[in-house]
Amino acid sequence: MSKMNKLGPFFKRHFIITVLLMIYAGVNLFFLYTHPGSIYNSPGTFGEEISTYGSRDAALYSKMAWQLIDDGIYGYEYSPNAAGKPNAYVTYGQPFYLAAIFKTAEVLNTNHLMLYRLANMFLNLGIVILVYAISWRLFRNRWISNIASILYMTHIAPLHYFRAALTEIPSIFLLLLSIYVFIIAIRKKDVKWHIAFGIIASLMLMFRATPAPMLLFAWLLVMIRYGWKDGIKTGFIWCIGPLLVMGPWAVRNYIQFGEMYLFSSHAGGPLLGGANPFYRIPPEDLVHEAVAKGYNQEQYAKILIPQGFKEDFPLWFTWFTMGKTMWLFVDNNLTPDGLGPYSQYIPGFLRRFFKYQNIFLASVGLLSAFLCRRHRPVMYLSVLVLIYIIASNMFLALPRYGLLIMPLLAIIGAYGMVQAVGFIVGKWRAFRMKESLQ
């Protein structure tokens, strides 16, 4: 009875997000069971494997998971020559996540597709809860928390990606969970929370390695708050996570390949993909060009980038700054990632809504990051966004990769919106008061 008495005030305080979460769960269930989208329903156009799992990469991740279960071989089939052979082409987070779900489906004698989509759906709902919880922890303002949650829930991409066997939803969930646990850990100065942060952050990096530089900024905040002695001690506590989570992966790679790959062995492909200003050259032509000149992809990228900056600095500087940053959020038609497959399934006004919602979310988030940078929590989140953008801009930039920081931009943007409304209301009241005194 006492627990019920506690739940009543909790739901009363968080009534709006509870209702919003129920509505969003209903939308997720609609997408789960009706399964709209041209990719999922056009195997004749996209191929059976892509239509089953959501994309070429998703199909390869799934094939890798089945290979792990059936043959005990860890290898991503990025080319025909790699089929059935072990490699370290991708980190183990997504393949092991899928393998665990697929094996559970076998044990339960249920559909593995529905089970991983259901698991991703719960993670997607968890992302909403974490967006709300992080906003609340940082600002103690329910308007900010609710608006941030709405900005995430009205984005089309999560509704597409929770049904694809890709890293997006698990990566976003683990990034936000890392941030939430870090906020608690740094405030409580509790060893167990710092250990938990190290483990969760390491798991996140095994799904997506690009956020790794964010950890350096987190450690800087610890040093500033705790002092250098306790900061170094905390850094060693965090190392428990990488030793437990990433250590076995690095040891396996050293034993198998003679190199201790901390993340993966294929940085050359994304690096070369990003050495192509505004995609003026078809990507496959660039790869063939590298092969024809006797270079692997990484070597050729390291030749092209300095050469490009030397020969046409304005073009290459624009590409590595504004160009790639824009490509993290929209394609060349200003369309958000994930919207394309639904063009024939949703009415025109909804297509326009999702298109402009994405532009609004990215724009208001980035603008608020600049205008509200003096507020410490906003500045800290903004630095995380900036670090991710810089790290991403070193490689191939795609709207799909920008999804990872959309929840952070939603939080920052919600803060900016509430501050803007507060400023306008304050000015209006001052104006009315001045008028009444005249």
Side-chain angles (χ1 to χ4, degrees), residues 23 60 90 131 147 186-187 245 262-263 335 337 342 364 431:
I23 294 171
L60 291 174
V90 294
V131 167
I147 292 171
I186 198 171
R187 288 178 176 176
V245 175
L262 193 58
F263 297 115
T335 302
D337 196 50
Y342 304 94
V364 78
F431 173 76

Side-chain angles (χ1 to χ4, degrees), residues 35 56 123 180 196 248 301 320 342 383 395 417 422:
H35 215 49
R56 176 183 177 274
L123 291 182
Y180 183 74
F320 271 82
Y342 304 94
V383 170
F395 302 96
M417 290 167 68

Side-chain angles (χ1 to χ4, degrees), residues 172-245:
I172 296 171
F173 177 82
L174 287 169
L175 173 64
L176 293 183
L177 186 60
S178 300
I179 293 171
Y180 183 74
V181 171
F182 175 78
I183 293 169
I184 296 174
I186 198 171
R187 288 178 176 176
K188 289 193 173 184
K189 203 176 181 179
D190 191 321
V191 171
K192 67 175 180 289
W193 282 103
H194 281 292
I195 293 173
F197 170 73
I199 292 171
I200 296 166
S202 299
L203 285 170
M204 172 193 65
L205 295 179
M206 289 295 95
F207 278 87
R208 185 71 66 82
T210 317
M214 292 181 180
L215 295 179
L216 294 175
F217 178 65
W219 189 43
L220 176 63
L221 292 182
V222 169
M223 296 280 280
I224 292 170
R225 190 176 180 98
Y226 291 176
W228 70 272
K229 286 185 178 179
D230 283 348
I232 292 173
K233 179 183 174 183
T234 302
F236 279 110
I237 292 169
W238 287 2
C239 287
I240 294 171
L243 285 172
L244 292 175
V245 175

Side-chain angles (χ1 to χ4, degrees), residues 131-132 134-136 138-154 357 360-369 372 375 378 381-382 405-423:
V131 167
Y132 182 87
I134 290 169
S135 306
W136 177 250
L138 292 177
F139 305 114
R140 294 291 173 180
N141 184 310
R142 290 193 190 92
W143 281 108
I144 295 173
S145 298
N146 288 323
I147 292 171
S149 303
I150 291 169
L151 286 173
Y152 176 80
M153 287 187 286
T154 50
Q357 190 273 354
F360 176 80
L361 171 53
S363 301
V364 78
L366 293 171
L367 184 62
S368 298
C372 305
H375 189 69
V378 174
L381 293 177
S382 301
I405 53 172
M406 279 302 194
L408 300 184
L409 290 175
I411 296 170
I412 297 168
Y415 177 86
M417 290 167 68
V418 170
Q419 290 297 109
V421 170
F423 176 79

